[in-house]
Amino acid sequence: MTTIYDIEVGEEGPALETRDLSVFYGETMAVDHVSFRVPERSVVALIGPSGCGKSTLLRCFNRMNDLVRGARVEGAVEFHGQDLYAPTIDPVEVRRHIGMVFQKPNPFPKSIYDNVAFGPRINNFRGDEDALVEASLRRAALWDEVRDRLEESAYSLSGGQQQRLCIARTLAVTPEVLLMDEPASALDPIATQRIEELIYELKKDYTIVIVTHNMQQAARISDYTAFLYMGKLIEYGPTDSIFTNPREERTEAYVTGRFG
């Protein structure tokens, strides 16, 4: 095993890695020379106060910042050793392998079934669509609740169900990595618990990077935690260490609630 930033990544290397990564919006630097590795089949939480660069960093992993006017990325972002920003790389293909779930549920104005089938259809899926939709809904812990309602509008679902539907929609295109930008911040406590339980189950097969403002949530669901402040990566390590024995004073002050 090789240890980088206290993270054992194994002989196969990390799923994701940034090296000296910086992101600018015009002249404003939002992410400042960040380097870290994300091990396969783990949950990594990005924490820090509002405006510290968490979501911007997250969006680098599937090139969503390409869609932001004036955004510029410097440094390296790699997926299994492949440079995601190489000129020959298609951002759409990147997003098929590295899916994203956003803060607020954003189902399409379609049926539950068509929401899940949408991605495979535009990717020319030629297999058993019914089986794929069912499998994706099962993986998102939603099948038993909607199996008799598949032709109903996705808007008929509760907020928590809509978010799990969005996760099922992402899983349907068979990604390897899931990016989650505060996926439970708009949900009630019961729906939040369901999402957290789902994340715990999904990490058996997926690498997950999650942005959260909720310290308790980060402590509950993540294997590793990265603390960012003013665009810089202040500390990164096993979640237990970050919350119980941080090396940096700023990390301790944040996780104990003294600022943020």
Side-chain angles (χ1 to χ4, degrees):
M1 303 292 284
T2 302
T3 301
I4 304 292
Y5 310 116
D6 297 329
I7 305 300
E8 292 182 339
V9 297
E11 294 181 358
E12 73 283 359
L16 296 165
E17 180 175 5
T18 70
R19 292 198 307 276
D20 212 23
L21 176 68
S22 297
V23 184
F24 299 83
Y25 297 125
E27 298 302 315
T28 302
M29 178 181 281
V31 173
D32 186 356
H33 297 89
V34 168
S35 300
F36 77 121
R37 290 179 170 182
V38 176
E40 284 200 81
R41 292 181 177 85
S42 64
V43 179
V44 172
L46 306 181
I47 65 171
S50 296
C52 72
K54 303 185 298 297
S55 293
T56 296
L57 174 60
L58 188 75
R59 291 194 297 266
C60 287
F61 287 127
N62 70 343
R63 295 191 54 173
M64 289 293 288
N65 287 320
D66 290 15
L67 307 175
V68 179
R69 184 186 297 272
R72 184 175 86 257
V73 175
E74 297 180 358
V77 182
E78 294 186 352
F79 174 53
H80 293 300
Q82 185 174 39
D83 180 5
L84 293 180
Y85 285 82
T88 57
I89 297 298
D90 180 359
V92 175
E93 186 66 13
V94 170
R95 293 171 199 139
R96 194 184 73 76
H97 291 280
I98 305 175
M100 190 162 191
V101 177
F102 296 92
Q103 181 175 1
K104 293 182 179 180
N106 60 339
F108 300 145
K110 301 175 181 290
S111 69
I112 295 167
Y113 184 102
D114 286 344
N115 263 267
V116 181
F118 181 83
R121 286 172 180 167
I122 65 174
N123 284 292
N124 299 312
F125 178 72
R126 291 291 181 261
D128 186 334
E129 187 175 273
D130 289 348
L132 178 63
V133 168
E134 178 178 343
S136 301
L137 288 167
R138 285 188 182 278
R139 300 225 71 174
L142 189 57
W143 173 253
D144 289 340
E145 297 169 46
V146 301
R147 60 190 303 172
D148 299 321
R149 305 170 53 191
L150 296 178
E151 297 308 316
E152 291 184 18
S153 169
Y155 295 150
S156 68
L157 300 175
S158 69
Q161 288 174 325
Q162 287 185 14
Q163 191 66 300
R164 280 182 283 144
L165 177 64
C166 292
I167 293 172
R169 187 177 67 197
T170 301
L171 297 178
V173 295
T174 62
E176 297 177 53
V177 177
L178 293 176
L179 308 178
M180 297 185 167
D181 193 355
E182 299 196 66
S185 66
L187 305 180
D188 62 64
I190 293 175
T192 295
Q193 182 180 355
R194 295 295 300 274
I195 295 294
E196 291 181 3
E197 291 170 350
L198 176 57
I199 291 170
Y200 185 83
E201 289 298 315
L202 289 174
K203 79 170 183 177
K204 297 174 184 176
D205 299 299
Y206 301 90
T207 302
I208 300 172
V209 185
I210 180 171
V211 166
T212 180
H213 275 100
N214 187 320
M215 295 300 95
Q216 292 78 16
Q217 183 174 80
R220 285 192 298 265
I221 66 172
S222 67
D223 302 296
Y224 306 99
T225 296
F227 169 57
L228 288 95
Y229 181 63
M230 297 183 69
K232 295 181 181 293
L233 179 60
I234 305 302
E235 188 167 352
Y236 179 48
T239 294
D240 287 347
S241 297
I242 294 294
F243 281 92
T244 63
N245 189 31
R247 293 174 299 181
E248 300 289 334
E249 288 185 10
R250 284 174 294 183
T251 308
E252 182 178 9
Y254 184 73
V255 299
T256 57
R258 294 206 299 274
F259 85 96

